[in-house]
Each structure stands twice: as structure tokens, then as C-alpha cells.
Amino acid sequence: MFIATSDILSLLAAGIALLALVALMQLRSRLARMQLVMEQQTQTLLAIQGAVKVLSGEALTHREDLASVRRAIDRVGELNQQTRLEMRLRDADGSPYTQAIQLIRHGQPRAEVRKLCSLTDSEVDLLFNLHGQGVALGLDSNQDN
């Protein structure tokens, strides 16, 4: 029983072809798994991108809310200061001149003093000249008439 060289080569070629076919099938299987993993990662990435958009929108909303709260705090502070000034004026002796002097010393403008104390322009001018600390020098002269 003698096997010819051509038969050995044929068997060898068939074996190599079979190994190549098995390797090809394994590669296809790996490729399919890798595609599945890639699709899952793509879905995860899209979900992360969506979450980032939502978070950035919420951060913008929070920033706007914070700015709104700051403005409200500033308004409350201004109202508190005005209320304290009004309380001091009520605690004064009740004279419109005393009230006007207090307002002038707290830096209120002429029009505000005139309005709150129901004084004439001449009276307000005289009080500013006497108690205005620099207002008489023209720093605030009739700016809000």
C-alpha cells in the first residue's frame, strides 16, 4: 500500500482548506459579537449624550433661577433699607424739617425729600444747603427736578 504524493498533497490541501473554513467561521462569529458590542456601546453613548443635554439644560435653568433669587435678595435688601429709613423718620419728632434733614443725611435726592416731606423747593434748597454735605457745591443740584 503505497500512497502517492499527489494523494498526500490533496489530503494536505483538504486539511488546510478545512482549517481555513473553521478559522473563517470563528472570525465571522467574533465579528458578529464585536458588532453587537459596538451597537450596545453606540446606544450607551447616545444615552449618555442625551443625559448630558438634559443636565446642561438643567444647569442653565438653575443658573437662571439663581440669578432670579439674587435679584430678589437685592430687592429685599433695598426694601429693607428703605423701610429702616422710613422707621427712623417715624421715630423722629414728626417735624417735616427733621424728617427732611434725616433724608438728606442718608443721601436721598431733592425730589424724594420734597415728595416725602411735602416741602417747597425753597425749603428743600435751604435744607440741602445747610445739611447736604457737598450737595450745596452742586454735586446733586436739581438733578431730579
Side-chain angles (χ1 to χ4, degrees):
M1 217 143 139
F2 181 59
I3 300 178
T5 308
S6 62
D7 290 339
I8 294 175
L9 288 176
S10 295
L11 285 175
L12 189 57
I16 291 174
L18 183 62
L19 286 175
L21 184 61
V22 169
L24 180 64
M25 290 174 59
Q26 287 178 347
L27 285 175
R28 281 191 179 185
S29 174
R30 279 179 142 179
L31 180 62
R33 283 192 305 255
M34 289 175 75
Q35 285 176 335
L36 180 63
V37 168
M38 190 171 97
E39 287 174 10
Q40 290 171 344
Q41 288 176 344
T42 300
Q43 293 299 320
T44 301
L45 180 60
L46 290 173
I48 290 171
Q49 286 174 336
V52 166
K53 284 182 182 178
V54 168
L55 289 175
S56 65
E58 288 179 6
L60 180 62
T61 300
H62 289 303
R63 197 173 316 134
E64 290 168 353
D65 290 345
L66 180 59
S68 177
V69 167
R70 285 182 180 156
R71 285 190 302 271
I73 288 171
D74 290 342
R75 283 192 303 267
V76 167
E78 291 168 4
L79 289 173
N80 187 21
Q81 184 178 6
Q82 183 67 27
T83 301
R84 278 192 265 142
L85 180 60
E86 289 172 4
M87 294 297 286
R88 278 192 220 129
L89 290 175
R90 286 187 201 134
D91 292 343
D93 67 6
S95 162
Y97 298 114
T98 305
Q99 291 177 356
I101 292 168
Q102 290 288 329
L103 288 171
I104 291 167
R105 287 183 178 158
H106 283 91
Q108 294 297 315
R110 291 174 187 267
E112 189 73 14
V113 173
R114 188 179 311 113
K115 181 179 83 172
L116 290 174
C117 300
S118 302
L119 299 175
T120 66
D121 287 339
S122 299
E123 291 171 318
V124 171
D125 289 341
L126 177 61
L127 290 171
F128 266 87
N129 286 335
L130 293 173
H131 302 282
Q133 297 177 349
V135 179
L137 299 174
L139 299 175
D140 191 344
S141 61
N142 298 325
Q143 75 178 11
D144 36 31
N145 279 342

